[in-house]
Amino acid sequence: MKDVFMLLGFSFGLVTGALMYKYSASAKQAIDESEKKIMKEAQKLGQKAEKGMEKLSQKAEEGMQTVEKKIKKGAKQVQKKLKTN
């Protein structure tokens, strides 16, 4: 029974919101403005995430180069040891 009342409440709220959006100019304006603000913030967050990914990829590339250098250095040391033995 609780689920039925919850569903009815959600439905009434949805219908009320749709009617307000359709017939109330101020409600429509407020919703449209808030939607624009949300979209701007989402774009800002997307740009920040893009910059963060670029920095992360640069650091990963630097890390890979460091690892490759150490592997080459270690391989040279192993070759030297093998030649001396």
Side-chain angles (χ1 to χ4, degrees), residues 18-65:
L19 290 173
M20 284 180 65
Y21 184 78
K22 185 174 182 179
Y23 293 111
S24 175
S26 61
K28 186 174 185 174
Q29 182 182 7
I31 291 170
D32 290 342
E33 287 177 8
S34 63
E35 182 182 10
K36 288 178 185 175
K37 288 180 183 179
I38 290 171
M39 290 304 294
K40 284 182 184 178
E41 289 299 318
Q43 287 175 347
K44 286 179 185 178
L45 289 174
Q47 290 171 350
K48 285 182 182 180
E50 241 178 67
K51 288 179 183 178
M53 290 299 293
E54 288 174 4
K55 288 181 183 178
L56 182 62
S57 66
Q58 287 174 351
K59 288 186 179 191
E61 186 66 34
E62 291 171 2
M64 289 296 292
Q65 290 173 355

Side-chain angles (χ1 to χ4, degrees), residues 5-18:
F5 287 129
M6 196 166 59
L7 184 61
L8 283 172
F10 178 76
S11 300
F12 286 136
L14 187 63
V15 169
T16 304

Side-chain angles (χ1 to χ4, degrees), residues 66-78:
T66 303
V67 168
E68 287 175 357
K69 287 179 185 177
K70 289 185 179 185
I71 289 173
K72 287 179 183 178
K73 185 177 178 181
K76 286 180 182 178
Q77 289 177 352
V78 169

